[in-house]
Amino acid sequence: MLRALISRLAQTLLVLFGISAMVFGVFFATPGMDPTARIAGRGASPQVMETIRKEYGFDRSLPVQYGIMMKKLFITRDLASYANRGERVVPEILQAAPVTASLVCGAALIWVLTSLLAGTLAAAMKGRAVDRVIMALGMVGISIPVFWLGEVMNMLTQSRYHDRWWFAWVPPPGYVPLVQSPSGWFLSLVIPWCVLALAFTGIYSRVLRADLITLSHEDFIRTARAKGLSPARIMLRHSLRMALIGYTALFGMDFAQLVGGGALMTEVVFGLPGVGHLTYQALSNMDLPLIMATVMYSAAFVVIANALVDILHMVLDPRIRPSR
């Protein structure tokens, strides 16, 4: 087991190096493009251009430039955005990260609990009206674009029905820090949580139902039935436990992708100053250091999260552990 963990850690470090080299090459080593001008922005003076060229080592070899950039990103964390008056980009990302984490964690809790209930119930009621209704609702959730649903919810809660008692509690779009007001934090996020969770609830419930139905034909389930175990115990103690292995893998990838900036549309629609919204602003302003920093930190988080999921799989399923 320890040997497998060390091997997986080495693979993770290798992947992180490959991603960092690729991102650096795309942003700063593209032939025919001057990275100094791209960082300085439009209308930069020759003095600013010269300062940037020396600070980032653009007058030196590519390996040295790569080392300087990675040092600024992960060690000294002093990478500056000249398009934003010299602001440090890493503190901006760290300030936005709790907003994204609050949004994604709350939505994940909703879609996990809802999809586990819906998927298990649909598999237990296979072919009945309950199963068909759950699957139809799941397909509706998958089909609705997040940005459209978010705009509809804003229209209903902020304008048309805001004065009615059922939506009067909804605050204006924005984010309230948890330490400032726990109730305000909850109220500012409850609708974004539901909007973001809707599509994932539909996907996960359908995937879980399909896995549970497939597992119902396996030999160990037939053996459990032959022993006289009740259908509910077979479903919850045997089938669901095995189905959660694939479910966990899917959750790990989606959760990491959302925390890494995949919740961009939800953050933009609801005015949440998270990592996705920060990336959106950087793209709008062509803020190259901030774009690169968000891409690098997001990629690192996704890779590390997937490595943790693989380790969790080894703990949950002894069959995939390497033989001694």
Side-chain angles (χ1 to χ4, degrees):
M1 185 70 175
L2 180 60
R3 193 172 176 183
L5 293 177
I6 295 174
S7 174
R8 189 63 183 86
L9 177 62
Q11 293 175 19
T12 301
L13 294 176
L14 184 62
V15 171
L16 287 174
F17 170 74
I19 291 175
S20 64
M22 182 179 67
V23 171
F24 172 79
V26 168
F27 283 109
F28 297 105
T30 306
M33 300 293 293
D34 183 7
T36 306
R38 297 173 72 182
I39 291 179
R42 299 174 184 175
S45 65
Q47 292 80 5
V48 172
M49 298 276 286
E50 185 63 26
T51 301
I52 293 174
R53 187 173 287 107
K54 291 182 178 179
E55 181 181 355
Y56 288 87
F58 291 140
D59 53 351
R60 304 167 73 178
S61 63
L62 279 178
V64 174
Q65 294 178 32
Y66 170 81
I68 292 174
M69 190 63 63
M70 294 304 109
K71 178 183 177 182
K72 285 181 170 294
L73 271 174
F74 296 106
I75 301 176
T76 59
R77 298 191 294 182
D78 59 351
L79 184 64
S81 166
Y82 285 85
N84 193 19
R85 300 179 182 179
E87 291 289 333
R88 303 295 189 219
V89 301
V90 175
E92 284 189 77
I93 295 174
L94 296 179
Q95 185 177 359
V99 182
T100 299
S102 298
L103 171 64
V104 176
C105 289
L109 181 62
I110 292 173
W111 93 59
V112 167
L113 294 178
T114 309
S115 63
L116 284 175
L117 177 62
T120 305
L121 183 60
M125 300 290 184
K126 177 187 174 184
R128 301 180 188 177
V130 174
D131 177 27
R132 290 193 290 269
V133 169
I134 290 175
M135 290 301 99
L137 291 176
M139 183 58 68
V140 171
I142 296 170
S143 304
I144 297 178
V146 171
F147 66 89
W148 180 85
L149 181 60
E151 289 292 357
V152 169
M153 292 304 300
N154 277 337
M155 181 184 69
L156 295 176
T157 61
Q158 300 299 329
S159 58
R160 181 168 298 182
Y161 298 111
H162 183 65
D163 295 332
R164 306 294 178 87
W165 64 268
W166 55 83
F167 283 139
W169 56 269
V170 180
Y175 177 75
V176 178
L178 178 62
V179 295
Q180 177 180 328
S181 172
S183 61
W185 172 83
F186 177 82
L187 294 177
S188 67
L189 287 172
V190 63
I191 292 181
W193 283 341
C194 296
V195 169
L196 182 59
L198 181 62
F200 290 97
T201 299
I203 295 171
Y204 279 63
S205 59
R206 293 177 69 89
V207 169
L208 182 61
R209 172 189 178 273
D211 288 345
L212 289 173
I213 292 175
T214 301
L215 287 168
S216 66
H217 303 293
E218 294 290 333
D219 290 339
F220 72 96
I221 298 298
R222 293 195 186 99
T223 302
R225 289 198 193 100
K227 290 180 178 180
L229 298 180
S230 65
R233 185 173 182 182
I234 293 173
M235 177 69 72
L236 298 176
R237 293 286 300 274
H238 298 276
S239 298
L240 186 59
R241 182 179 178 182
M242 292 300 298
L244 285 179
I245 295 175
Y247 187 99
T248 304
L250 185 62
F251 174 80
M253 290 186 291
D254 286 335
F255 184 84
Q257 184 263 343
L258 286 174
V259 174
L264 183 151
M265 294 307 301
T266 307
E267 292 179 359
V268 171
V269 168
F270 290 101
L272 301 174
V275 176
H277 193 272
L278 191 65
T279 305
Y280 174 79
Q281 291 179 324
L283 291 170
S284 301
N285 300 326
M286 289 304 296
D287 190 346
L288 190 60
L290 184 54
I291 295 173
M292 180 180 178
T294 54
V295 170
M296 280 299 307
Y297 276 93
S298 299
F301 185 84
V302 170
V303 172
I304 293 172
N306 283 325
L308 294 176
V309 169
D310 289 344
I311 294 172
L312 180 60
H313 277 181
M314 287 189 238
V315 175
L316 292 176
D317 191 356
R319 297 174 301 176
I320 63 175
R321 296 176 190 172
S323 56
R324 295 181 180 178

